[in-house]
Amino acid sequence: MAFRMIAFFGLLGLILFVSACGCKEDEFGEQMVIEVPVSTYPVKDTFRVGDTLWVDLLFPKAFSVKDANGKIVL
């Protein structure tokens, strides 16, 4: 019984190891900078302590990647 379990898990580990070798490299590299459009209101040159600042983030379905010729679709 113990031999069967060892053989089963050994075969399972071998299958997982071999199937993991077929991964392709990411086209954007290991790190990337995603540009997200941000708007702030009110539009001022300077702010004082206590001023209210509104931040508006609009996340599109396709992000453009800085310094790359592609987009990431979510």
Side-chain angles (χ1 to χ4, degrees):
M1 182 71 162
F3 176 73
R4 286 185 181 180
M5 287 185 78
I6 292 172
F8 173 73
F9 285 115
L11 184 60
L12 180 65
L14 181 65
I15 291 171
L16 290 174
F17 177 73
V18 170
S19 66
C21 294
C23 296
K24 63 179 183 175
E25 191 171 324
D26 189 8
E27 64 181 283
F28 297 109
E30 290 185 17
Q31 296 180 357
M32 68 179 108
V33 177
I34 298 176
E35 297 177 344
V36 178
V38 177
S39 301
T40 57
Y41 301 100
V43 179
K44 291 183 178 181
D45 290 335
T46 57
F47 291 96
R48 294 180 180 222
V49 175
D51 286 350
T52 301
L53 179 65
W54 293 88
V55 179
D56 189 21
L57 298 169
L58 298 175
F59 290 96
K61 285 194 171 213
F63 287 96
S64 61
V65 179
K66 189 174 183 176
D67 298 331
N69 294 332
K71 291 190 174 210
I72 297 175
V73 179
L74 298 179

